[in-house]
Amino acid sequence: MENVIPVNEPAPEAETDEKGPSKSALKKAAKEKEKAEKAAKRAQAEEAQRKEAEANDVSKDDYGDLPPDGTLPLPMFEDDKVPFVELSELPELFSDTTKLDEPQGPHVILKARVSNARTQSAKLAFLELRDRLDTIQAVVAASDTLSRQMIKFCASIPSESVVVVHALVKKPKDPVKSATISELELHIKKLYVESRAMTQLPMQVADAERAIPAEGEEESADGPIVTLNTRLNNRVIDLRANLNQAIFAIKFGVEDFFREFLKSRGFTGIHTPKLLGAPSEGGANVFEVKYFGTKAYLAQSPQLYKQMLIASDMKRVMEVGPIFRAENSNTARHLTEFVGLDLEMAFNKHYHEVVSLLEELMLYIFNGLKEKYKRETDLLRSVYKVDEFKLPEAGKVPRLNFAEGIKMLRDAGEEIGDFDDLTTPQEKKLGALVLEKYGSDFYVLDQFPLAIRPFYTMPSAETQAKYDSANPNAGYSNSYDFFMRGQEIMSGAQRIHRAEYLEQRMKEHVSPVDPNSDGLRDYVQAFREGCSKHAGGGIGLERIVMLWLGLPNVRLASLFPRDPGRKTP
Amino acid sequence: MENVIPVNEPAPEAETDEKGPSKSALKKAAKEKEKAEKAAKRAQAEEAQRKEAEANDVSKDDYGDLPPDGTLPLPMFEDDKVPFVELSELPELFSDTTKLDEPQGPHVILKARVSNARTQSAKLAFLELRDRLDTIQAVVAASDTLSRQMIKFCASIPSESVVVVHALVKKPKDPVKSATISELELHIKKLYVESRAMTQLPMQVADAERAIPAEGEEESADGPIVTLNTRLNNRVIDLRANLNQAIFAIKFGVEDFFREFLKSRGFTGIHTPKLLGAPSEGGANVFEVKYFGTKAYLAQSPQLYKQMLIASDMKRVMEVGPIFRAENSNTARHLTEFVGLDLEMAFNKHYHEVVSLLEELMLYIFNGLKEKYKRETDLLRSVYKVDEFKLPEAGKVPRLNFAEGIKMLRDAGEEIGDFDDLTTPQEKKLGALVLEKYGSDFYVLDQFPLAIRPFYTMPSAETQAKYDSANPNAGYSNSYDFFMRGQEIMSGAQRIHRAEYLEQRMKEHVSPVDPNSDGLRDYVQAFREGCSKHAGGGIGLERIVMLWLGLPNVRLASLFPRDPGRKTP
């Protein structure tokens, strides 16, 4: 819940005027003086009492705040027989709960957050301890060796503080339903605060466990929810939610599967420059940087560089890195900085060799997610109420020609020209039609119209054969888009590998560019120096995560998202 | 070799004056006319001859330039029994050379660069074909089925062109010493040019196979070498050299081992933003970006974000990504953009848990390089004449306290204060002393003086105990540097994990920063929300590669290096 700050408090009344203090004012001042003296005395007495209590506190070395560097008191470690464990390890370590009935039963040391602390009585407090996805109940009970002062201390620890505890592991009388580890309970012997959280947090972790509404949708009926904006402003707390831990585990999984598959196919990881001397891809939507008295620009993709590396005989290259787009779009689908998964490869005979490899790559990622991230995927789908992502049967990815896609749309009543680009609603509609016909949320659209692709796209052989200088952008190209749930996740193509043809296409393109411009000169030169046939593609990492899980906003898949209005935290 | 353009050609003489053409001029003009007519006739005759020859050319379908999209002529593929192979596969495929004596012996199709083409006679040409590290000799010999025209065509292919050949694999009479695959030879049957290189390349690949001199060193005595600057200007050709292919194979190896090791230790890959709302680390050396009418800044490291993610319970995080430093240094050690290998982790008791893990990580990388990149490493060392990188015996990395390092330097005659930062020569000297004493090119210097480390560095427990507000930066800190060949490759530390202490240190630091500034507010807030003890470090990927191989310039380890004076190609 967000902080509620009372804004209608009455202003304090004016108590003096120009004539000097009145009788009643003097009387009031005297009263206040008396009150202050009493309070001071009381505080003094309390302090004396506290000191005496502390001196008599049998537990005084067993709890407290650690020093700033977090050094644990030596006694905590003197007994090396007590293992330092992770909360998540407990169920497996103590799966045989019958052994937990011994009075001198097993002790552990562990670190966790206090997600909740409360007193039952002066003699008993309960803490809920949390460590990522796991929670457990901890009991602090007064005894000859555990003081009431310690109970008071434990019960007053603010939520989200980090504590180190030394505890006896026991089996609770009844399973603790509120905890994920319900068959075990910790009986605290020692407790130290490593990091004390502020008492009034700007939002609660629990707030972040709920779905955010999709664009245009109403907020959930069951009570107000913390807005996406508030969550992103308080991202450090927000990310502690299981929902977010799951999203970023999956994001890492996608990246890892991407690398793993491509590495096994002989790809080399590369790093192309993000600072460029001139805008290279058209010039629009590029961020400008001050560079030692000159200007530089942030790379909008590794496109030109990964092609130059093919010309350098690197053969198969992949890059995972930031992509910068200065597009002033404030939609649920756009970020100004995102993670690009890029690849480029030389091929032997036909660019479909590359398309097939890319299809295999995506299936490898999807199957990996199904297998290794089921818990995380299920959690997200249950909260966001999203259908399971349907993979093609027998691993045969539907690959349609663009013309075929247009026909399907027309048959479904859509009005669209042969060479028109698809609008977002048309893409979604085609996705639905493909799902219906082929039973797959994933498909490939091949042979896009030449006119709607970038200048470096290879026209198809048929288009080259029918070339007409009066209409040089007619026909199709060896280019493809990959779709998930009816939204594009990857764009790719065979690229032009010969300098003279590239120069021709640069000039003839719908948006012509100058082969001799600062941003393109070195690129064109690369092909003059000899270059193999090649094709490749680029994938938005956040988009795959969003579409795999059916999230309503791409910002949810970025740790610290950037858009035209957001550059913090 | 660089292009040599003759600059002293005489200017053409003036042939007319104001009086009109002279007799001799008219005579000359008539002669020239006659000459031109003769030339035209000759050309006509040659063209007719060429056409006739082409009509009679028995090989006319077996060679030529491919169309712009590189589509191979169908006959090339009609016989599916001829495999499309890689040049590097040949030695293994045909290890039993006795089988190569059959006249109808094995055929292959393969793609390669022509690194050299020459005619022996009108009936015989030799091509040297290259594919990355491998070269082979190819023979084009006239026969009933192979025309002289085809030989002429093959012999005139410019170096660095990409060709597809269909050839018979044979055993040469004598091993071809000039080729890496010396026990085999290709007898060309068909040859198509996929990409024709320009005839006058700005430099040759062979030029890039030689060492560049170290800073301050003289150029090699055996002839002029192509300067580093020329190589970097023509990086696409430069990178084709074996030397460079080896460097970037190793660079990928380092990154891959880094990920592999950390993943096995439970680290999650993250991507922190590169666009920041405000400079966060001091404000100096930061690039400014135009951001939708406001300003943004390029991240100088993921430092603050990776710590915030520890506060978000991500526990162990790693990032590989670009680092931007607007430092106006034009040395052999500085880049304005490089690849950072970053990590951060929560620990249980003591930050030496992290130092130990980092030592293991580095040994894992070094041993991986020794094992899997021996060929590449040996190649580089032979060219740059560098000693093998010495690893500590029995895997025990020398870990010295800073004070110990100072003592060793003093014992060796160096004048240096207890808390002075080491100069570069002092670092190198200490590296030499450690190598002498411990036999290792890799060591760790621990417990650096507090005053010379960033504000977020955790003072050591002893320093905290002796705290004196009059001299708050005295003493040591829980921080460390890792060294290779006497140069720092990683800097790291335990970080302050408590907000109030962090704020104190921010104010007390030698270069104070404001906890409430735009760049730091969210960072400080993260610790108010509770955070575990943590430590980490950052490594420059290019620096590891440079120091592993003993390269004289860090630019050699960047595909497209960036420095204050270079932002292209």
Side-chain angles (χ1 to χ4, degrees), chain A residues 149-205:
Chain A
Q149 291 96 317
M150 179 165 166
I151 288 170
K152 203 173 159 191
F153 177 88
C154 290
S156 68
I157 297 170
S159 294
E160 296 301 303
S161 297
V162 177
V163 296
V164 187
V165 301
H166 178 173
L168 178 68
V169 183
K170 294 200 88 167
K171 183 173 157 55
K173 265 181 232 155
D174 300 306
V176 185
K177 282 181 193 162
S178 61
T180 65
I181 302 174
S182 54
E183 301 295 332
L184 297 173
E185 195 173 60
L186 296 177
H187 287 241
I188 303 282
K189 299 297 164 195
K190 297 172 185 175
L191 182 148
Y192 302 96
V193 177
E194 183 166 297
S195 171
R196 190 171 277 274
M198 63 203 292
T199 45
Q200 280 275 48
L201 292 170
M203 64 177 267
Q204 304 302 319
V205 176

Coordinates of all heavy atoms in Angstrom, one line a residue, chain A residues 149-205:
Chain A
Q149 N 13.1 -9.1 27.6 CA 13.7 -8.0 26.8 C 14.0 -8.5 25.4 O 13.7 -7.7 24.4 CB 15.0 -7.5 27.4 CG 14.8 -6.8 28.7 CD 15.1 -7.7 29.9 OE1 14.6 -8.9 29.9 NE2 15.7 -7.2 30.9
M150 N 14.5 -9.7 25.2 CA 14.8 -10.2 23.9 C 13.5 -10.4 23.1 O 13.5 -10.1 21.9 CB 15.6 -11.5 24.0 CG 15.9 -12.1 22.7 SD 17.1 -13.4 22.7 CE 17.0 -14.2 21.1
I151 N 12.5 -10.8 23.8 CA 11.2 -11.0 23.0 C 10.7 -9.6 22.5 O 10.3 -9.5 21.4 CB 10.1 -11.6 24.0 CG1 10.5 -13.1 24.1 CG2 8.7 -11.5 23.4 CD1 9.8 -13.9 25.2
K152 N 10.8 -8.6 23.4 CA 10.4 -7.3 23.0 C 11.2 -6.8 21.8 O 10.6 -6.2 20.9 CB 10.6 -6.3 24.2 CG 9.7 -5.1 24.2 CD 9.8 -4.3 25.5 CE 9.4 -2.9 25.3 NZ 9.8 -2.0 26.4
F153 N 12.5 -7.0 21.9 CA 13.4 -6.6 20.8 C 13.0 -7.3 19.5 O 12.8 -6.6 18.4 CB 14.8 -7.0 21.2 CG 15.8 -6.7 20.1 CD1 16.4 -5.4 20.0 CD2 16.2 -7.6 19.1 CE1 17.3 -5.1 19.0 CE2 17.1 -7.3 18.1 CZ 17.7 -6.0 18.1
C154 N 12.8 -8.6 19.6 CA 12.4 -9.4 18.3 C 11.1 -8.9 17.7 O 11.0 -8.7 16.5 CB 12.3 -10.9 18.6 SG 14.0 -11.6 19.0
A155 N 10.1 -8.7 18.6 CA 8.8 -8.3 18.1 C 8.8 -7.0 17.5 O 7.8 -6.6 16.8 CB 7.8 -8.4 19.3
S156 N 9.8 -6.1 17.8 CA 9.7 -4.8 17.3 C 10.6 -4.6 16.0 O 10.8 -3.5 15.6 CB 10.2 -3.8 18.4 OG 11.6 -4.0 18.6
I157 N 11.1 -5.7 15.5 CA 11.9 -5.5 14.3 C 11.1 -5.2 13.1 O 10.1 -5.8 12.8 CB 12.7 -6.9 14.0 CG1 13.6 -7.2 15.1 CG2 13.4 -6.8 12.7 CD1 14.2 -8.6 15.1
P158 N 11.4 -4.1 12.4 CA 10.6 -3.7 11.2 C 10.6 -4.7 10.1 O 11.6 -5.4 9.9 CB 11.2 -2.4 10.7 CG 12.1 -1.9 11.8 CD 12.5 -3.2 12.6
S159 N 9.5 -4.8 9.4 CA 9.4 -5.8 8.3 C 10.5 -5.4 7.3 O 10.8 -4.2 7.1 CB 8.1 -5.6 7.6 OG 7.0 -6.0 8.4
E160 N 11.0 -6.4 6.6 CA 12.0 -6.4 5.6 C 13.4 -6.2 6.1 O 14.4 -6.1 5.3 CB 11.7 -5.2 4.5 CG 10.4 -5.5 3.7 CD 10.5 -6.8 3.0 OE1 11.4 -7.0 2.2 OE2 9.6 -7.7 3.2
S161 N 13.6 -6.1 7.5 CA 14.9 -6.1 8.0 C 15.6 -7.5 7.8 O 14.9 -8.5 7.7 CB 14.9 -5.9 9.5 OG 14.3 -4.6 9.8
V162 N 16.9 -7.5 7.7 CA 17.6 -8.7 7.5 C 18.2 -9.1 8.9 O 18.9 -8.3 9.5 CB 18.8 -8.5 6.5 CG1 19.6 -9.8 6.3 CG2 18.2 -8.1 5.1
V163 N 17.9 -10.4 9.2 CA 18.4 -10.9 10.5 C 19.2 -12.2 10.4 O 19.0 -12.9 9.4 CB 17.3 -11.2 11.5 CG1 16.5 -9.9 11.8 CG2 16.3 -12.2 11.0
V164 N 20.1 -12.4 11.3 CA 20.8 -13.7 11.4 C 20.3 -14.4 12.6 O 20.3 -13.8 13.7 CB 22.4 -13.5 11.5 CG1 23.1 -14.8 11.4 CG2 22.8 -12.6 10.4
V165 N 19.8 -15.6 12.5 CA 19.3 -16.3 13.7 C 20.0 -17.6 13.9 O 20.5 -18.2 13.0 CB 17.8 -16.6 13.6 CG1 17.0 -15.3 13.4 CG2 17.5 -17.5 12.5
H166 N 20.1 -17.9 15.2 CA 20.6 -19.3 15.6 C 19.3 -19.9 16.2 O 18.8 -19.4 17.2 CB 21.7 -19.1 16.6 CG 22.2 -20.4 17.2 ND1 23.3 -20.5 18.0 CD2 21.8 -21.7 17.0 CE1 23.5 -21.7 18.3 NE2 22.6 -22.5 17.7
A167 N 18.9 -21.0 15.7 CA 17.6 -21.6 16.1 C 17.6 -23.1 16.1 O 18.4 -23.8 15.5 CB 16.5 -21.1 15.1
L168 N 16.7 -23.6 16.9 CA 16.4 -25.0 17.0 C 15.3 -25.3 16.0 O 14.3 -24.6 15.9 CB 15.9 -25.3 18.5 CG 15.5 -26.7 18.8 CD1 16.8 -27.6 18.9 CD2 14.9 -26.7 20.2
V169 N 15.5 -26.4 15.2 CA 14.5 -26.7 14.2 C 13.5 -27.7 14.9 O 14.0 -28.7 15.5 CB 15.2 -27.4 13.0 CG1 14.1 -27.7 11.9 CG2 16.3 -26.5 12.4
K170 N 12.3 -27.4 14.9 CA 11.3 -28.2 15.5 C 10.1 -28.5 14.5 O 9.9 -27.8 13.5 CB 10.7 -27.6 16.7 CG 11.7 -27.5 17.8 CD 11.1 -27.3 19.2 CE 10.8 -28.6 19.9 NZ 10.5 -28.5 21.3
K171 N 9.3 -29.5 14.9 CA 8.1 -29.8 14.1 C 7.0 -29.1 14.8 O 6.8 -29.2 16.0 CB 7.9 -31.3 14.1 CG 6.7 -31.8 13.3 CD 6.7 -33.3 13.3 CE 5.3 -33.9 13.0 NZ 4.7 -33.3 11.7
P172 N 6.2 -28.2 14.1 CA 5.1 -27.5 14.8 C 4.0 -28.5 15.1 O 3.8 -29.5 14.5 CB 4.7 -26.5 13.7 CG 5.1 -27.1 12.4 CD 6.3 -27.9 12.7
K173 N 3.2 -28.1 16.2 CA 2.1 -29.0 16.5 C 1.2 -29.2 15.3 O 0.9 -30.3 15.0 CB 1.3 -28.3 17.7 CG 1.7 -28.8 19.1 CD 0.9 -28.1 20.1 CE 1.8 -27.5 21.2 NZ 1.2 -26.4 21.9
D174 N 0.7 -28.1 14.7 CA 0.0 -28.2 13.5 C 0.8 -27.6 12.4 O 1.6 -26.6 12.6 CB -1.4 -27.4 13.6 CG -2.2 -28.0 14.7 OD1 -2.4 -29.2 14.7 OD2 -2.5 -27.2 15.7
P175 N 0.6 -28.0 11.1 CA 1.4 -27.4 10.0 C 1.0 -25.9 10.0 O -0.1 -25.5 10.2 CB 0.8 -28.1 8.8 CG 0.3 -29.4 9.3 CD -0.2 -29.2 10.7
V176 N 2.1 -25.1 9.7 CA 1.9 -23.6 9.7 C 1.4 -23.3 8.3 O 2.2 -23.1 7.3 CB 3.2 -22.9 10.0 CG1 3.0 -21.4 10.1 CG2 3.8 -23.4 11.3
K177 N 0.1 -23.1 8.1 CA -0.4 -22.9 6.8 C 0.0 -21.7 6.1 O 0.1 -21.6 4.9 CB -2.0 -23.0 6.8 CG -2.5 -24.4 7.0 CD -4.0 -24.4 7.0 CE -4.5 -25.8 7.4 NZ -5.9 -25.7 7.9
S178 N 0.3 -20.6 6.9 CA 0.7 -19.3 6.3 C 2.1 -19.3 5.7 O 2.5 -18.4 5.0 CB 0.6 -18.2 7.3 OG 1.4 -18.5 8.4
A179 N 2.9 -20.4 6.1 CA 4.3 -20.4 5.6 C 4.5 -21.4 4.5 O 3.8 -22.4 4.4 CB 5.2 -20.7 6.7
T180 N 5.4 -21.2 3.6 CA 5.7 -22.2 2.5 C 6.3 -23.4 3.1 O 6.1 -24.6 2.7 CB 6.6 -21.6 1.4 OG1 7.9 -21.4 1.9 CG2 6.0 -20.4 0.8
I181 N 7.2 -23.2 4.1 CA 7.7 -24.4 4.8 C 6.8 -24.6 6.1 O 7.1 -24.1 7.1 CB 9.2 -24.2 5.2 CG1 10.0 -23.8 4.0 CG2 9.8 -25.4 6.0 CD1 11.5 -23.4 4.2
S182 N 5.8 -25.4 5.9 CA 4.8 -25.5 6.9 C 5.0 -26.6 7.9 O 4.5 -26.6 9.0 CB 3.4 -25.7 6.3 OG 3.4 -26.8 5.4
E183 N 5.9 -27.5 7.6 CA 6.1 -28.7 8.4 C 7.3 -28.5 9.4 O 7.6 -29.4 10.2 CB 6.4 -30.0 7.6 CG 5.3 -30.3 6.6 CD 4.0 -30.8 7.3 OE1 4.1 -31.3 8.4 OE2 2.9 -30.5 6.7
L184 N 7.9 -27.3 9.3 CA 9.0 -27.0 10.3 C 8.7 -25.7 10.9 O 8.0 -24.8 10.4 CB 10.3 -27.0 9.5 CG 10.8 -28.3 8.8 CD1 12.1 -28.0 8.0 CD2 11.1 -29.4 9.9
E185 N 9.4 -25.5 12.0 CA 9.3 -24.2 12.8 C 10.7 -24.0 13.4 O 11.4 -24.9 13.7 CB 8.3 -24.5 13.9 CG 7.7 -23.2 14.6 CD 6.6 -23.6 15.5 OE1 6.9 -24.4 16.5 OE2 5.5 -23.2 15.3
L186 N 11.0 -22.7 13.5 CA 12.3 -22.4 14.1 C 12.1 -21.8 15.5 O 11.3 -20.9 15.7 CB 13.1 -21.3 13.3 CG 13.5 -21.8 11.9 CD1 14.1 -20.6 11.1 CD2 14.4 -23.0 11.9
H187 N 12.8 -22.4 16.5 CA 12.8 -21.8 17.9 C 14.0 -21.0 18.1 O 15.1 -21.6 18.2 CB 12.6 -22.9 18.9 CG 11.2 -23.4 18.8 ND1 10.3 -23.4 19.9 CD2 10.4 -24.0 17.8 CE1 9.1 -23.9 19.6 NE2 9.2 -24.3 18.3
I188 N 13.9 -19.7 18.1 CA 15.0 -18.8 18.1 C 15.8 -18.9 19.4 O 15.2 -18.8 20.5 CB 14.5 -17.3 17.9 CG1 13.7 -17.1 16.6 CG2 15.7 -16.3 18.0 CD1 14.5 -17.1 15.4
K189 N 17.1 -19.0 19.3 CA 18.0 -18.9 20.5 C 18.8 -17.6 20.5 O 19.0 -17.0 21.5 CB 19.0 -20.1 20.4 CG 18.3 -21.5 20.5 CD 17.5 -21.7 21.8 CE 16.6 -22.8 21.6 NZ 15.6 -22.8 22.7
K190 N 19.2 -17.2 19.3 CA 19.9 -15.9 19.2 C 19.4 -15.2 17.9 O 19.1 -15.9 16.9 CB 21.4 -16.2 19.0 CG 22.1 -16.8 20.2 CD 23.5 -17.2 20.0 CE 24.0 -18.0 21.1 NZ 25.4 -18.5 20.9
L191 N 19.4 -13.9 18.0 CA 19.0 -13.2 16.8 C 19.7 -11.8 16.7 O 19.7 -11.1 17.7 CB 17.4 -12.9 16.9 CG 16.8 -12.2 15.7 CD1 15.4 -12.7 15.4 CD2 16.8 -10.7 15.9
Y192 N 20.3 -11.6 15.6 CA 21.0 -10.3 15.4 C 20.4 -9.6 14.1 O 20.2 -10.3 13.1 CB 22.5 -10.5 15.2 CG 23.1 -11.2 16.4 CD1 23.3 -12.6 16.4 CD2 23.5 -10.5 17.5 CE1 23.8 -13.2 17.5 CE2 24.0 -11.1 18.7 CZ 24.2 -12.5 18.7 OH 24.7 -13.1 19.7
V193 N 20.3 -8.3 14.2 CA 19.8 -7.6 13.0 C 21.0 -7.1 12.2 O 21.9 -6.4 12.7 CB 19.0 -6.3 13.5 CG1 18.6 -5.6 12.2 CG2 17.8 -6.8 14.2
E194 N 21.1 -7.6 11.0 CA 22.2 -7.3 10.1 C 21.9 -5.9 9.4 O 22.8 -5.1 9.2 CB 22.4 -8.3 9.1 CG 23.6 -8.1 8.1 CD 24.0 -9.3 7.3 OE1 24.4 -10.4 8.0 OE2 23.9 -9.3 6.1
S195 N 20.7 -5.7 9.1 CA 20.2 -4.5 8.4 C 18.8 -4.2 8.8 O 17.9 -5.0 8.5 CB 20.4 -4.7 6.9 OG 19.8 -3.6 6.2
R196 N 18.6 -3.1 9.4 CA 17.3 -2.7 9.9 C 16.6 -1.9 8.8 O 17.1 -0.9 8.4 CB 17.5 -1.9 11.2 CG 16.3 -1.5 12.0 CD 16.7 -0.9 13.3 NE 17.1 -1.9 14.3 CZ 16.2 -2.5 15.1 NH1 14.9 -2.2 15.1 NH2 16.6 -3.4 16.0
A197 N 15.4 -2.3 8.4 CA 14.6 -1.5 7.4 C 13.9 -0.4 8.1 O 13.6 -0.4 9.3 CB 13.6 -2.5 6.7
M198 N 13.6 0.6 7.3 CA 12.8 1.8 7.9 C 11.4 1.2 8.2 O 10.9 0.3 7.6 CB 12.7 2.9 6.8 CG 12.0 2.5 5.5 SD 12.4 3.6 4.1 CE 11.7 5.1 4.6
T199 N 10.7 1.9 9.2 CA 9.4 1.3 9.7 C 8.3 1.6 8.7 O 7.4 0.8 8.6 CB 9.1 1.9 11.0 OG1 9.3 3.3 11.0 CG2 9.9 1.3 12.1
Q200 N 8.4 2.7 8.0 CA 7.3 3.0 7.0 C 7.8 2.8 5.6 O 8.3 3.8 5.0 CB 6.9 4.5 7.2 CG 6.0 4.7 8.4 CD 4.5 4.5 8.0 OE1 4.2 3.4 7.3 NE2 3.6 5.4 8.3
L201 N 7.7 1.6 5.1 CA 8.2 1.4 3.7 C 7.2 2.0 2.7 O 6.0 2.1 2.9 CB 8.2 -0.1 3.4 CG 9.3 -0.9 4.2 CD1 9.1 -2.4 4.1 CD2 10.7 -0.5 3.8
P202 N 7.7 2.5 1.6 CA 6.9 3.1 0.6 C 5.8 2.2 0.0 O 4.8 2.6 -0.5 CB 7.8 3.7 -0.5 CG 9.1 3.0 -0.2 CD 9.2 2.6 1.2
M203 N 6.1 0.9 0.0 CA 5.1 -0.1 -0.4 C 5.5 -1.4 0.2 O 6.6 -1.6 0.7 CB 5.0 -0.2 -2.0 CG 6.3 -0.7 -2.7 SD 6.1 -0.9 -4.5 CE 5.6 -2.6 -4.6
Q204 N 4.6 -2.4 0.2 CA 4.9 -3.7 0.7 C 5.2 -4.7 -0.4 O 4.6 -4.6 -1.5 CB 3.6 -4.1 1.5 CG 3.2 -3.2 2.6 CD 4.3 -2.9 3.6 OE1 5.0 -3.8 4.0 NE2 4.4 -1.6 4.0
V205 N 6.0 -5.7 0.0 CA 6.3 -6.7 -1.0 C 5.0 -7.4 -1.5 O 4.8 -7.7 -2.7 CB 7.2 -7.7 -0.4 CG1 7.5 -8.9 -1.4 CG2 8.6 -7.1 -0.1

